[in-house]
């Protein structure tokens, strides 16, 4: 029996999952061991209180990594946080980390930044790991071939207390993308396209493995953008088998294994792929050539389309979905059946854990170099981390932005969710590289169009929704 | 200790799809460091005009005195988006103990269960009946019986079985917490660590 099991082909998810099950019992969820636990100020305070009430310590301090990101201001980060509740939450994180002995990359620390940016950047995120965080975009780390997913605060408490979480194994889905990407199309467009095809709940209950030639050809940072948005189609997480691109990215990073440890780790990482005849519960295939630069028009990430397409007309939407469709367009103050090209916009936000890495900034800089932003738009560029900010300065990217009239701010979540001062005002349109266009996400009554950094850069220059390919 | 067996209650109908956790509790209200008090900001931006508590939006169901109860019914894909457990806290704090929908987002389902809110997944057609009945008569009552795993519209007698995993069912009925379960397994966890 055991022999037979060992001979069975496994998906990447199964390989990692099975290696992390501490205990299982029929009908009960698996006790899954967690290698790395990231925490931030918003979803952790109540968890620490729980530990205090039970009078228990954090079980594995060294596997717990903390940063302040959601609430932090992106201007004048050296000053005390002005907003009282935000300040209190960040102070609470500092106190909790101190009391429980956890290292914190707080505001101003050279390693500070958005939780999903700093994990990979510091070499904490490694193939084959299990990673959790009280944050749904934990799926980002899956780009390294890890099982990474978001959890709620009660589960944060469980992981702090025991380094384990109770989970039923999700179903496995494979999404394969083959073919060559067309001009002006980048990884954000791939994921917006997939979500537009399968809807914002199309992968609920599944863990997605992204595969195929188009994925293999992407850089690590581009892969992270894809995995990041897995949750926007309802998936528990997304992952990509590690390869040379992955190993090269990790090598030499701050906390990455070194010397002998590296060799050992590498040998293990090379075993992390779905076996040839492994069975998935569902397989979807897409052709990269079908993908245009994408934009969303509605209030969930599934409401997206190629930038030259028209918003569906009301009559094309199925009866049952018509009500929510209508509601979304009312919120966005858009008519059905129209094209968005040429629509004037007010803000451009380039940032968030989806698109605020150095490659994103480079992509934007190379497009705007020598150009100026349109007068009717405000452009905020919010790097994902202190290190990205520093690199942008050193590479001369900041200078390009300043010449274009863009503002490069300090790192943080910023206008992705408007918990700090960076909010899009009511009724204004924002072209955003973030991941959610929900009602009020960027501020009460703010209206969001999700795009790639490249399409956002084009909108910043023209002041309206633009097909970036016309300028390439 | 919180437990859950059976409840009979009127329903608050929210016939909207893809209700995301940013709507249930907007990000700007996530700054509290306790679990209490989120109920007053539940569905904040759907509930009030210009973020002003003195200006309730009349057509939003929480502002309609006709509809009250411990059961919220919503269309498919309830609780999608952010993992914020604050969404479950807000629903619980407001007084909801059951959410009925034809489809729940994964993380929300877990968060709800961890806060003794029962997510009940029903068929589209049963959900349609619930909405029809409550429209016809806002006093319509629903019975949710966890041990039997049934949901029933009392006025029509229509009922359906719902799924819940054995483990969570036991937790809810007995008032157990995941953390107690895990803490009891500490030896096994350390043993596992030793094998790596
Ligand atoms: S950038 Fe946005 S999506 Fe990412 S962790 Fe911060 S708030 Fe969440």
């Amino acid at each position: 029996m055991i022999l037979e099991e060992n001979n069975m082909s496994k998906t990447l998810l199964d390989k990692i999952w099975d290696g992390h099950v501490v205990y299982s019992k029929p009908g009960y969820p698996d006790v899954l061991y967690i290698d790395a636990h990231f925490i931030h100020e918003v979803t952790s305070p109540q968890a620490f209180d729980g530990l205090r009430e039970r009078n228990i310590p954090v079980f594995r301090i060294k596997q717990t990594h903390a940063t302040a990101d959601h609430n932090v201001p992106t201007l004048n980060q050296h000053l005390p946080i002005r907003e009282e509740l935000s300040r209190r939450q960040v102070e609470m994180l500092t106190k909790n980390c101190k009391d429980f002995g956890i290292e914190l990359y707080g505001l101003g620390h050279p390693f500070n930044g958005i939780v999903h940016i700093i994990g990979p950047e510091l070499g904490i995120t490694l193939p084959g790991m299990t990673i959790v965080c009280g944050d749904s975009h934990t799926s980002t780390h899956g780009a390294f071939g890890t099982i990474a997913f978001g959890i709620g605060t009660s589960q944060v408490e469980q992981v702090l207390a025991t380094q384990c979480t109770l989970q039923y194994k999700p179903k496995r889905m494979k999404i394969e993308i083959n073919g060559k990407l067309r001009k002006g199309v980048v990884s954000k467009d791939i994921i917006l396209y997939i979500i537009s095809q399968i809807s914002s709940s199309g992968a609920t209950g599944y863990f997605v493995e992204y595969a195929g030639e188009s994925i293999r050809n992407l850089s690590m940072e581009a892969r992270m953008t894809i995995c990041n948005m897995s949750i926007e189609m309802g998936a528990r997480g997304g992952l990509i088998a590690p390869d040379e691109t992955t190993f090269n990215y990790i090598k030499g990073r701050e906390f990455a294994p070194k010397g002998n440890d590296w060799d050992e780790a590498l040998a293990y990482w090379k075993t992390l792929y779905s076996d040839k005849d492994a069975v998935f519960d569902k397989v979807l295939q897409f052709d990269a050539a079908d993908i245009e630069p994408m934009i969303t028009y509605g209030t969930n990430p599934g409401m997206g389309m190629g930038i030259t397409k028209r918003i569906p007309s009301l009559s094309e939407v199925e009866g049952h979905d018509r009500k929510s469709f209508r509601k979304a367009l009312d919120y966005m103050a858009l008519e059905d059946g129209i094209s968005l090209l040429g629509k004037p916009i007010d803000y451009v936000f380039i940032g968030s854990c989806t698109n605020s890495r150095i490659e994103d900034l480079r992509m934007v800089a190379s497009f705007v170099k020598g150009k100026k932003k349109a007068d009717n738009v405000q452009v905020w560029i919010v790097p994902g981390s202190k290190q990205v900010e520093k690199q942008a300065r050193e590479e001369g990217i900041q200078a390009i932005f300043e010449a274009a009239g863009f503002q490069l701010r300090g790192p943080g979540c910023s206008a992705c969710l408007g918990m700090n001062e960076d909010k899009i005002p009511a009724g204004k349109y924002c072209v955003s590289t973030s991941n959610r266009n929900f009602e009020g996400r960027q501020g009460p009554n703010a209206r969001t169009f999700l795009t790639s950094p490249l399409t956002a850069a084009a909108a910043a220059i023209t002041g309206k929704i633009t097909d970036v390919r016309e300028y390439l | 200790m919180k437990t859950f067996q059976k409840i009979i209650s009127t329903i608050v109908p929210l016939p909207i799809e893809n209700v995301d956790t940013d709507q249930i509790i907007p990000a700007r209200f996530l700054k509290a460091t306790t679990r209490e008090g989120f109920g007053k900001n539940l569905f904040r931006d759907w509930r009030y005009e210009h973020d002003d508590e003195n200006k309730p939006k009349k057509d939003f169901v929480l502002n309609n005195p006709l509809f009250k109860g411990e059961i919220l019914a919503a269309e498919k894909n309830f609780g999608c988006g952010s993992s914020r457990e604050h969404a479950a806290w807000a629903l619980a704090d407001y007084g909801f103990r059951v959410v009925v929908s034809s489809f729940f987002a994964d993380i929300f389902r877990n968060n709800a269960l961890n806060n003794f809110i029962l997510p009940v997944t029903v068929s589209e057609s049963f959900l349609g009946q619930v909405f029809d009945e409550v429209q016809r008569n806002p006093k319509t009552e629903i019975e949710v019986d966890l041990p039997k795993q049934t949901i029933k519209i009392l006025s029509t007698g229509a009922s359906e079985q719902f799924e819940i995993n054995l483990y969570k069912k036991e937790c809810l009925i007995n008032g157990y917490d995941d953390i107690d379960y895990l803490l009891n397994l500490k030896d096994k966890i350390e043993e596992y660590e030793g094998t790596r």
Side-chain angles (χ1 to χ4, degrees):
Chain A
M1 184 65 200
I2 290 177
L3 244 180
E4 199 178 299
E5 282 216 337
N6 285 343
N7 281 339
M8 253 170 30
S9 302
K10 284 183 166 187
T11 69
L12 175 55
L13 175 86
D14 291 301
K15 286 185 183 175
I16 305 172
W17 188 283
D18 297 351
H20 285 83
V21 174
V22 171
Y23 179 70
S24 70
K25 178 168 150 185
Y28 280 59
D30 289 340
V31 175
L32 194 70
Y33 190 81
I34 299 304
D35 295 314
H37 183 197
F38 290 96
I39 57 173
H40 62 75
E41 77 276 19
V42 181
T43 55
S44 66
Q46 295 86 351
F48 282 108
D49 282 351
L51 296 187
R52 284 197 183 90
E53 273 162 33
R54 289 173 203 263
N55 200 15
I56 44 180
V58 171
F59 187 56
R60 293 293 175 248
I61 293 166
K62 291 260 175 301
Q63 286 161 249
T64 315
H65 313 274
T67 183
D69 54 5
H70 282 63
N71 265 307
V72 302
T74 56
L75 294 174
N76 297 319
Q77 290 191 330
H78 58 290
L79 298 177
I81 301 177
R82 276 188 304 187
E83 223 262 339
E84 199 206 321
L85 289 174
S86 294
R87 192 178 60 240
R88 231 196 282 155
Q89 219 172 38
V90 172
E91 282 169 2
M92 189 75 91
L93 178 70
T94 312
K95 179 177 177 344
N96 285 333
C97 286
K98 205 164 151 248
D99 288 0
F100 287 89
I102 296 165
E103 181 153 21
L104 166 69
Y105 303 134
L107 204 51
H109 192 287
F111 294 164
N112 176 251
I114 304 174
V115 60
H116 312 307
I117 302 287
I118 67 168
E121 180 179 84
L122 293 171
I124 298 171
T125 301
L126 301 173
M129 278 185 159
T130 47
I131 296 181
V132 293
C133 173
D135 195 287
S136 55
H137 294 99
T138 308
S139 59
T140 313
H141 307 258
F144 291 79
T146 71
I147 292 184
F149 53 90
I151 55 177
T153 299
S154 298
Q155 292 165 304
V156 170
E157 185 181 334
Q158 293 154 25
V159 179
L160 288 173
T162 66
Q163 207 58 36
C164 287
T165 173
L166 292 171
Q167 297 290 328
Y168 288 92
K169 200 194 244 185
K171 289 182 281 181
R172 315 146 189 85
M173 181 187 287
K174 179 158 81 168
I175 298 186
E176 234 183 78
I177 304 119
N178 285 302
K180 217 171 139 272
L181 286 177
R182 283 155 52 178
K183 188 176 75 167
V185 176
V186 296
S187 72
K188 178 68 164 287
D189 299 305
I190 301 181
I191 190 67
L192 283 174
Y193 174 79
I194 296 172
I195 302 168
S196 77
Q197 297 296 304
I198 73 171
S199 93
S200 63
S201 58
T204 302
Y206 290 91
F207 216 96
V208 176
E209 179 173 344
Y210 301 96
E213 171 202 356
S214 320
I215 298 290
R216 291 264 79 89
N217 289 337
L218 295 175
S219 71
M220 261 339 276
E221 301 203 349
R223 292 179 190 182
M224 284 187 248
T225 301
I226 303 239
C227 289
N228 173 275
M229 289 193 73
S230 305
I231 182 75
E232 306 310 336
M233 46 189 175
R236 207 69 183 83
L239 80 177
I240 295 172
D243 58 12
E244 286 304 318
T245 306
T246 323
F247 311 143
N248 290 335
Y249 176 95
I250 298 169
K251 195 157 194 180
R253 295 196 175 257
E254 187 77 23
F255 299 111
K258 314 248 151 49
N260 261 345
D261 290 347
W262 171 265
D263 298 335
E264 261 178 44
L266 193 63
Y268 166 57
W269 297 343
K270 289 188 169 164
T271 67
L272 297 172
Y273 50 83
S274 287
D275 295 329
K276 245 222 213 89
D277 36 8
V279 179
F280 289 83
D281 299 285
K282 194 166 181 176
V283 178
L284 299 175
Q285 283 170 325
F286 297 102
D287 184 349
D290 293 338
I291 308 176
E292 274 200 283
M294 296 287 295
I295 188 161
T296 62
Y297 55 84
T299 55
N300 74 57
M303 301 177 83
M305 63 181 183
I307 196 135
T308 61
K309 299 283 191 309
R310 288 176 314 103
I311 298 173
S313 49
L314 204 52
S315 57
E316 289 163 10
V317 179
E318 276 178 48
H320 189 72
D321 295 331
R322 213 172 274 170
K323 201 171 45 181
S324 5
F325 179 76
R326 188 64 283 169
K327 185 173 185 297
L329 290 196
D330 283 350
Y331 181 85
M332 292 295 288
L334 294 171
E335 277 165 45
D336 65 324
I338 61 162
S339 157
L340 284 175
L341 287 175
K343 167 115 193 135
I345 52 134
D346 309 294
Y347 285 80
V348 170
F349 170 63
I350 293 173
S352 91
C353 55
T354 315
N355 282 125
S356 65
R357 296 178 193 84
I358 193 67
E359 279 181 16
D360 299 310
L361 267 47
R362 281 189 199 131
M363 189 195 307
V364 174
S366 73
F367 181 82
V368 303
K369 192 169 184 183
K371 300 188 182 83
K372 271 212 156 12
K373 77 170 185 69
D375 290 338
N376 60 314
V377 281
Q378 284 207 45
V379 185
W380 297 342
I381 313 250
V382 181
S385 70
K386 215 57 203 157
Q387 297 205 63
V388 172
E389 182 191 356
K390 180 161 167 267
Q391 216 174 336
R393 221 177 301 124
E394 288 167 2
E395 292 183 13
I397 290 174
Q398 183 176 16
I400 296 174
F401 288 160
E402 275 166 10
F406 295 5
Q407 197 179 27
L408 181 71
R409 299 185 159 214
C413 293
S414 180
C416 172
L417 90 168
M419 264 191 95
N420 66 354
E421 291 117 344
D422 307 349
K423 292 184 180 64
I424 307 302
K428 298 289 182 197
Y429 287 104
C430 178
V431 172
S432 176
T433 67
S434 55
N435 42 49
R436 286 185 175 145
N437 50 353
F438 296 153
E439 289 184 26
R441 172 79 179 182
Q442 298 196 283
N445 279 307
R447 295 169 175 146
T448 305
F449 297 115
L450 300 177
T451 71
S452 75
L454 203 51
T455 297
I461 301 302
T462 61
K464 48 199 183 193
I465 291 172
T466 301
D467 185 349
V468 66
R469 292 171 295 187
E470 290 170 23
Y471 294 83
L472 294 177
Chain B
M1 192 198 288
K2 278 191 240 175
T3 57
F4 195 114
Q5 297 271 347
K6 175 163 123 174
I7 75 166
I8 295 179
S9 168
T10 49
I11 334 156
V12 177
L14 186 67
I16 298 175
E17 288 174 10
N18 302 317
V19 174
D20 59 75
T21 52
D22 273 80
Q23 305 319 315
I24 300 174
I25 183 91
R28 57 190 191 284
F29 301 110
L30 306 187
K31 296 179 185 182
T33 47
T34 63
R35 283 182 166 87
E36 282 83 46
F38 289 99
K40 67 176 193 299
N41 296 318
L42 176 70
F43 294 117
R44 175 83 186 197
D45 292 335
W46 286 348
R47 209 160 142 193
Y48 304 113
E49 212 68 73
H50 307 299
D51 208 4
D52 183 348
E53 276 162 47
N54 296 315
K55 293 191 189 139
K57 292 186 183 174
K58 283 213 188 59
D59 54 358
F60 186 62
V61 67
L62 292 192
N63 298 323
N64 186 340
L66 275 182
F67 300 106
K68 287 203 162 32
E70 296 180 313
I71 302 177
L72 179 72
E75 299 263 15
K76 69 173 180 228
N77 203 22
F78 187 87
C80 57
S82 159
S83 62
R84 59 188 69 163
E85 193 162 319
H86 312 67
W89 299 336
L91 289 163
D93 192 50
Y94 187 86
F96 288 118
R97 300 188 61 211
V98 172
V99 183
V100 181
S101 175
S102 53
F103 198 91
F104 287 96
D106 277 339
I107 305 181
F108 174 80
R109 182 205 302 277
N110 257 314
N111 287 341
L113 288 166
N114 282 335
N115 288 280
F116 292 83
I117 294 178
L118 181 64
V120 176
T121 308
V122 297
S123 66
E124 292 272 347
S125 73
F126 189 83
L127 188 63
Q129 290 177 44
V130 169
F131 285 129
D132 289 348
E133 272 304 299
V134 71
Q135 269 322 319
R136 214 178 46 76
N137 175 13
K139 297 222 162 64
T140 299
E141 284 185 319
I142 292 214
E143 177 192 276
V144 176
D145 186 327
L146 177 58
K148 288 201 197 125
Q149 297 180 224
T150 55
I151 175 168
K152 187 169 177 184
I153 306 173
L154 292 182
S155 54
T156 64
S159 77
E160 214 173 72
Q161 287 285 132
F162 62 85
E163 297 277 322
I164 179 169
N165 65 64
L166 181 72
Y167 168 73
K168 266 299 160 195
K169 184 173 168 178
E170 282 178 13
C171 284
L172 287 183
I173 291 176
N174 301 310
Y176 297 157
D177 226 333
D178 284 357
I179 197 159
D180 300 325
Y181 183 78
L182 285 170
L183 285 170
N184 277 329
L185 291 171
K186 265 236 166 107
D187 290 351
K188 287 211 163 49
I189 297 169
E190 278 172 351
E191 203 177 291
Y192 168 85
E193 285 179 321
T195 64
R196 320 182 71 210

